[in-house]
Amino acid sequence: MPTTASTALPLKDVTASDSTLRRYLHGLPGVDAVGLEARAASLGTRSIKTTAKAYAIDLAISMVDLTTLEGADTAGKVRSLGAKAVRPDPTDRTAPATAAVCVYPDMVAVAKEAVAGSTVKVASVATAFPAGRAAIGVKLADVRDAVAAGADEIDMVIDRGAFLAGNYLKVYEEIVAVKEACGASARLKVIFETGELSTYDNIRRASWLGMIAGADFIKTSTGKVAVNATPANTLLMLEAVRDFRAQTGVQVGVKPAGGIRTTKDAVKFLVVVNETVGEDWLDNHWFRFGASSLLNDLLMQRQKLATGRYSGPDYVTVD
Amino acid sequence: MTIEKRSSAFEYAPAPESRAVVDIAPSYGLFIDGEFAEAAEGRVFKTVSPSTEEVLSEVAQAGEADVERAVKAARKAFEKWSALPGSERAKYLFRIARIIQERSRELAVLETLDNGKPIRETRDADLPLVAAHFFYYAGWADKLGHAGFGANPRPLGVAGQVIPWNFPLLMLAWKIAPALATGNTVVLKPAETTPLSALFFADICRQAGLPKGVVNILPGYGDTGAALVAHPDVNKVAFTGSTAVGKEIARTVAGSRKKLTLELGGKGANIVFDDAPIDQAVEGIVTGIFFNQGQVCCAGSRLLVQESIQDELLDSLKRRLSTLRLGDPLDKNTDIGAINSAEQLARITSLVEAGEAEGAERWSPACELPSSGYWFAPTLFTNVTQAHTIARDEIFGPVLSVLTFRTPDEAVAKANNTQYGLSAGIWTEKGSRILAVANKLRAGVVWSNTFNKFDPTSPFGGYKESGFGREGGRHGLEAYLDV
């Protein structure tokens, strides 16, 4: 287990009180929205072809958290998702497995069984996902439940209401408590719901708040609101993890989630990773895609690179 | 499918833009009175691709007799052109703008081949701006009476225009579009290292059916420009280029009735305050000095950083510089292309050596330079003071001098302590500081939280030795009108 930042020296006193925490977070460098978006857009014009594209596609597949988060989820649905995560392309066994399957806490045991014996992890959205509107005791019970069922990773949502109201210490304490409930076995991904935080300054503050509280991953969004992951907010969060590591020595992962549907989009995100934090993060231990429909497009593009022909949706599995 | 193992995790495959979209002839003539013609003295010169040193074409070199012919043609065309209703002139300009858009891929590749700048700049910055300038001034052509220069402002006559090699087609657009919109006719001399896009533009004028003699293009060296500027029948001189040549032109024109605008060198200060958006400031510094390999008169070549954030900012900047990709300018992934000429490379090299000799600390990212062509690695100088040559002289290359300051007043004093005054940048999250500082800076353009942003609606020009007169915007019309 790496040390968390709250124990790392430079940030030790930041969380002493709500006001020290606020002063720290508001003292972070500002974000100029125009400049940030221009930079993200310019990285999107990099031309990725042939061997670079083949590499990017396989890397992206290995970074996918294959997700089903529906009220209608059943054991059968989760089992078929697990099988697909382990063996995404039944016609081509060289296709890498995805990073994880992501399910609701009550489906963790089923998912665990479905991916048994593979490298695929089981992630679970606990803490009253996606709204996060529940008492802390309920959220922690949700987490413990998922961890007890064998979840390798917990995706928690922060209390956006508390954050927007300026109650940073409350958000911090919740993350710390959830991290503790994860124990030594599960990595914690902290979801900010960037679309609801609204400003880039807020996203940077949330990123630092999450990391100070011990997040193993910071994640853009739930995928359940209108604006989810964008190249710009992902770029911003990558800058935050880069600066955080420089300051504390602790490396934190990044997970854009929601709205990334095509290979072209995924490759743009990888370029942003490559040119912002470099190869230290180009690995599914440190970077993930939260996506359900992305995988099939990656597989179809992969088949096209291999055969020279575009096959179509019937040549990949529905789930 | 097998995936190649690679040493570095994510190596982009080369993605060069196809040269097939542009058809460069082995030789080009002068463009006079709507026709391509050989030079009277039969002289020619070669134009080479700076990234490979490959000879692209052979171009006729205009002499005094050719200047004479071109000015005569422009004078003759002026009568009819200036008498056209503005709305008619606008039609031609709109047509030219649309053809430029249609041929923009071809022109972008051509410009990259002839100039050495990366395709992502010609494609994403130069060409859209070139078209935008023609569109913008086309819109003014029938509204000159409402531009604030009196009810019926008149054109000046024949405009002699001399443009530099750093933005060959864009500088052409800045000069020709307002001149034609206001009813003047033009004789333009492109730079000797980058004549091709101007000659392609001549072809576009024919394609647009522009009346003969309205635009004339005379490739050549300094002597051609000197002959054009001195020609007694030229009514207006517009020059963009070095301060030394600008002074010569001012001397030539002095005492004549010619109207003159000069857009000359610069040593722009890019001021970063301690409350700046650091990541975006780093991008702005990179854009400020490495855009077009720093061969930009309004480049932010002096970084003034508040001492309290100097270390943090320089660390970020160095890290960012390490990700710049230098190489084949036709590759879409290339950030830094070639220096325009061997001569320019030598000038940059000697100034950088002066910087080292005077004790400034030189730094460049690990960077492999191609074996042929003219290349210079992105370079940072720290420990620079106002007393260093590299803080005073324009380098016109990818070389950034870093100075520090402690207070806003000191920043303003240092920024203004230069013989130039073309551009400046301010980086701070505090709006009131932007306004307070911008008002004190003696520079024609002050960017805040951005750099090297251009727009046809925005006037551009200098203070002090950076020249006088404005190009672009409504102000840009004045230089071509009798007001």
Side-chain angles (χ1 to χ4, degrees), chain A residues 30-32 36 39 45-52 54-55 58 204 239 242 271 274-275 279 302, chain B residues 1 3-4 6 8-13 15 120 277-280 283 319-320 325 333 335 429 449:
Chain A
V31 185
D32 184 83
L36 176 75
R39 172 70 177 147
T45 65
R46 291 292 196 214
S47 172
I48 308 301
K49 290 178 172 173
T50 58
T51 50
Y55 173 80
D58 275 17
R204 174 166 286 174
E239 287 169 352
R242 176 198 70 197
V271 170
N274 189 40
E275 300 209 18
E279 55 189 271
R302 194 177 190 276
Chain B
M1 187 172 62
I3 300 301
E4 228 177 278
R6 55 196 66 221
S8 156
F10 199 3
E11 282 168 12
Y12 307 151
R120 55 192 250 129
I278 297 289
D279 290 307
Q280 286 78 51
E283 289 305 319
R319 186 179 52 226
R320 177 66 178 87
R325 305 167 66 89
N333 296 319
D335 300 315
E429 281 281 281
N449 291 340

Side-chain angles (χ1 to χ4, degrees), chain B residues 433-448:
Chain B
R433 181 174 290 151
I434 291 172
L435 297 174
V437 172
N439 276 326
K440 293 177 191 155
L441 291 173
R442 304 279 294 165
V445 187
V446 180
W447 284 291
S448 66

